[in-house]
Amino acid sequence: MSKAAKSILVFGIFMVLVGLGLLIMPNVLLTLSGYPTTSEVWIRILGLVTAILGYYYIIAARNELTSLFKASVRARPAVIVVFIGFVILGWAKPILILFGAIDLLGAIWTGLALRSS
C-alpha cells in the first residue's frame, strides 16, 4: 500500500468511527464537542452519511484509487474554510475548527505522499 493510500485509509477509518459514533451515540459526541444534545434524527443521518463516506475512502485506499486521492487533496481544504466561516458568523462553536484542521492535515499528508511517489 502506498503512503498516499495509507493516509486515505487512516482518514477513512476516522470517518467511519466518527460516523458510527454519531449514528449510535450522537449525544455523547455532541456533549464532548460542547454542542447541545438532540433527539432529532438529522444527527444520526449525518452519522450514517459520514460512515459511508469513510467506507468509500477505505475502499479507495485498498484499491490505490489515486484519482480519488488527488480529488480529496483539492476538496478537503474547503472544510476548514467553511467551518471557520461558520464560527465567524456565530453559527458554530470554535471546536468545529478542530474537525476542519484534522481534515486539512489529512489532505496535506495525502498531498505530500502523492508528491513523494
Side-chain angles (χ1 to χ4, degrees):
M1 181 176 284
S2 70
K3 291 178 183 179
K6 286 179 187 173
S7 73
I8 293 293
L9 178 66
V10 168
F11 185 67
I13 292 168
F14 169 75
M15 287 185 66
V16 167
L17 293 174
V18 169
L20 290 176
L22 290 173
L23 182 64
I24 297 166
M25 51 182 187
N27 288 327
V28 172
L29 293 182
L30 288 171
T31 300
L32 288 173
S33 299
Y35 284 92
T37 60
T38 185
S39 60
E40 295 181 21
V41 72
W42 66 265
I43 193 71
R44 293 178 191 273
I45 293 168
L46 176 63
L48 176 63
V49 170
T50 302
I52 289 170
L53 285 172
Y55 169 72
Y56 292 164
Y57 272 95
I58 291 168
I59 297 303
R62 288 183 161 181
N63 289 282
E64 294 286 345
L65 299 179
T66 55
S67 60
L68 184 127
F69 304 169
K70 291 174 184 176
S72 169
V73 168
R74 290 188 299 270
R76 287 165 55 193
V79 174
I80 195 163
V81 172
V82 172
F83 285 4
I84 289 170
F86 288 170
V87 171
I88 289 170
L89 292 169
W91 296 350
K93 294 182 180 194
I95 188 76
L96 192 62
I97 295 171
L98 175 63
F99 289 96
I102 290 169
D103 225 340
L104 179 62
L105 291 173
I108 292 169
W109 177 19
T110 303
L112 292 173
L114 283 168
R115 279 191 192 160
S116 73
S117 60

